[in-house]
């Protein structure tokens, strides 16, 4: 085995048995095949097989399977072994295993610091993470590990020093190291848990470029958590990605105000991102509340609009539901649509709404 080869195959899922196939093999009781491939350098087979062995109490065998992978010096294998050791109550062994890898920083250091913090060595973890604060991943871990340690003000000062007082970035990657918007978000998180919510809100309003991460807007989430609905409504009107709009609609729906949530999504906007995301989110909301006809109309309007059938829509406006298209002669669809191939990754919201509302019969 070679660490570079393992890493390439794991990252690209090329030249290997991918994790979904491994899971399927185990579901179909092909354990012997997974065990065999684990011994031939198939990492995803080895990872799944060692977890299974660990669950069955065959710990020594699990470590034997991982041993040749760990021997290459490849971090994901070492991490997998450290996680197993920790889950077995052998935290000191896990710490000893992960420590040399942490010296390179990045993901190994983040894992190692969190491991230390979980096992009563938070001060050591904070020292290590503070030294790597220019890495946004480590800065985020620093704020989370520091919670409850009585060091919030120290961490806030450390992060605030990374926010330029006069410099205005002209793009999200203008400054090297920890970018100002991320630093602002982390200081705001500290202020919120200190109970200084107004300060956190004011800070988040100063962000320039990065307002959402993984489809979540920190300011929108903060306003929702603290019941600041009118402020969230004002912010949603100006936030161009539509994430604040979705959070506002979610809050209203949770409070039983379904009509209010629908009205939020129906507000017109010139932003393509808000228009497309909003339509898909509105259709899902309508389906959840038994309004299939309305959902169908929303998606039909979007699909028929300029650019509505672009690949962007096919990638994003889908449910994670896998249903085959009906077979020829059994669907009631126009003849040219009967027997259309299954679309990978899910069916469109238009079809899903039709199925939910009885306008389309699924194949048997």
């Amino acid at each position: 085995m070679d660490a570079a080869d393992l890493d390439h195959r794991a990252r690209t899922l090329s030249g290997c048995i991918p994790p979904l196939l491994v899971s399927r093999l185990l579901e179909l009781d092909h354990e012997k095949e997974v065990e065999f491939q684990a011994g031939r350098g198939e990492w995803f087979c080895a990872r799944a097989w060692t977890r299974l062995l660990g669950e069955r109490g065959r710990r020594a065998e699990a470590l034997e399977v991982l041993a040749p992978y760990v021997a290459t010096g490849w971090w994901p294998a070492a991490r997998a072994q450290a996680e197993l050791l920790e889950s077995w109550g052998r935290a000191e062994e896990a710490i000893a295993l992960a420590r040399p890898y942490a010296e390179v920083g990045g993901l190994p250091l983040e894992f190692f610091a969190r491991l230390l913090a979980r096992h009563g060595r938070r001060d050591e973890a904070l020292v290590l993470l503070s030294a790597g604060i220019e890495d946004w991943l480590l800065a985020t871990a620093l704020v989370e590990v520091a919670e409850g340690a009585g060091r919030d003000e120290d961490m806030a000062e450390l992060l605030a020093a990374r926010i330029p007082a006069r410099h205005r970035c002209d793009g999200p990657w203008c400054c090297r190291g920890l970018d100002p918007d991320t630093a602002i978000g982390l200081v705001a998180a500290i202020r919120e848990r200190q109970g200084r919510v107004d300060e956190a809100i004011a800070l988040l309003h100063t962000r320039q470029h990065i307002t959402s991460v993984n489809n979540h807007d920190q300011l929108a989430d903060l306003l929702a958590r603290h019941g600041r609905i009118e402020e969230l409504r004002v912010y949603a009107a100006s936030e161009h990605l539509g994430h604040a709009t979705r959070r506002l609609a979610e809050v209203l729906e949770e409070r039983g105000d379904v009509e209010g949530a629908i009205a939020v999504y129906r507000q017109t906007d010139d932003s393509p991102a808000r228009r497309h995301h909003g339509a898909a989110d509105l259709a899902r909301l309508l389906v959840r509340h038994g309004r299939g006809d309305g959902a169908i109309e929303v998606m039909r309007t979007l699909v028929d609009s300029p650019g509505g059938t672009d690949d962007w829509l096919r990638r994003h406006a889908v449910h994670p539901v896998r249903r085959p298209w009906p077979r020829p002669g059994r669907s009631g669809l126009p003849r040219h649509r009967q027997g259309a191939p299954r679309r990978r990754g899910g069916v469109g919201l238009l079809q899903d709404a039709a199925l939910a509302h009885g306008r389309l019969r699924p194949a048997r």
Side-chain angles (χ1 to χ4, degrees):
M1 293 183 195
D2 174 77
D5 181 55
L6 285 169
D7 192 64
H8 174 76
R9 288 191 289 159
R11 283 188 296 103
T12 63
L13 296 183
S14 61
C16 69
I17 301 175
L20 286 177
L21 180 54
V22 175
S23 298
R24 189 62 177 152
L25 287 169
L26 291 174
E27 288 172 7
L28 297 174
D29 296 324
H30 293 297
E31 290 186 3
K32 289 294 183 183
E33 181 63 25
V34 173
E35 179 184 10
F36 174 71
Q37 295 296 340
R40 298 182 66 249
E42 289 289 346
W43 166 243
F44 296 113
C45 288
R47 187 177 64 177
W49 184 235
T50 54
R51 288 173 180 170
L52 199 58
L53 290 173
E55 291 169 3
R56 294 174 178 176
R58 297 162 61 181
R59 297 177 176 179
E61 293 176 60
L63 294 179
E64 287 178 11
V65 171
L66 281 177
Y69 295 88
V70 175
T72 66
W74 188 45
W75 164 241
R79 173 173 179 158
Q81 182 168 322
E83 288 173 339
L84 283 177
L85 291 169
E86 184 187 16
S87 70
W88 299 340
R90 296 159 62 175
E92 289 304 316
E93 292 178 60
I95 289 170
L97 174 64
R99 186 180 292 278
Y101 295 89
E103 295 176 2
V104 304
L107 287 169
L109 177 53
E110 184 216 12
F111 173 86
F112 180 63
R114 291 182 185 275
L115 177 64
L116 289 172
R118 285 195 297 271
H119 295 280
R121 298 164 73 168
R122 184 182 293 179
D123 287 343
E124 182 182 353
L126 291 175
V127 170
L128 290 171
L129 291 171
S130 297
I133 197 171
E134 291 298 331
D135 183 329
W136 70 267
L137 182 71
L138 301 181
T140 301
L142 174 66
V143 171
E144 293 173 1
V145 169
E147 184 172 5
R151 300 279 304 279
D152 276 349
E153 204 55 45
D154 294 339
M155 298 303 107
E157 290 178 7
L158 194 62
L159 289 162
R162 269 69 184 174
I163 304 172
R166 295 181 177 82
H167 172 64
R168 305 295 291 178
C169 292
D170 57 6
W173 297 278
C174 171
C175 295
R176 297 185 64 182
L178 182 66
D179 67 274
D181 285 346
T182 299
I184 288 169
L186 293 173
V187 175
I190 292 173
R191 295 302 180 220
E192 182 187 7
R193 72 186 185 211
Q194 288 177 319
R196 297 156 65 175
V197 177
D198 287 337
E199 289 183 49
I201 292 171
L203 271 170
L204 291 172
H205 274 299
T206 67
R207 295 171 300 175
Q208 292 178 263
H209 300 287
I210 302 173
T211 59
S212 290
V213 177
N214 296 330
N215 293 326
H216 283 276
D217 185 298
Q218 185 180 351
L219 177 55
D221 289 342
L222 186 154
L223 293 170
R225 278 194 299 273
H226 294 276
R228 312 277 278 261
I229 304 304
E230 289 311 310
E231 291 176 66
L232 177 54
R233 195 183 299 277
V234 171
Y235 178 55
S238 62
E239 192 271 308
H240 70 283
L241 294 176
H243 299 153
T245 296
R246 184 178 63 235
R247 192 68 190 97
L248 173 60
E250 289 170 350
V251 172
L252 294 174
E253 184 184 10
E254 290 164 4
R255 295 182 172 196
D257 186 4
V258 176
E259 294 305 322
I262 292 172
V264 167
Y265 283 131
R266 289 197 186 280
Q267 292 174 355
T268 58
D269 188 83
D270 293 333
S271 163
R274 287 186 63 177
R275 185 168 61 252
H276 290 149
H277 281 300
D281 289 334
L282 173 58
R284 294 187 180 102
L285 171 63
L286 292 169
V287 168
R288 284 197 298 275
H289 293 277
R291 305 186 188 185
D293 277 338
I296 291 168
E297 187 57 36
V298 167
M299 293 309 297
R300 178 180 288 126
T301 300
L302 178 58
V303 170
D304 289 342
S305 67
T309 54
D310 285 348
D311 185 58
W312 184 96
L313 179 62
R314 290 196 296 272
R315 289 199 310 270
H316 293 275
V318 296
H319 266 318
V321 178
R322 293 186 179 182
R323 288 194 186 95
W325 277 86
R327 298 171 189 168
R330 300 182 58 180
S331 67
L333 287 171
R335 193 72 193 173
H336 73 280
R337 293 296 301 277
Q338 293 179 3
R342 181 192 303 201
R343 282 177 284 178
R344 299 179 66 181
V347 296
L349 276 170
L350 181 59
Q351 182 193 1
D352 201 56
L355 285 164
H357 203 58
R359 298 275 290 275
L360 184 67
R361 294 194 302 273
R364 296 178 182 176

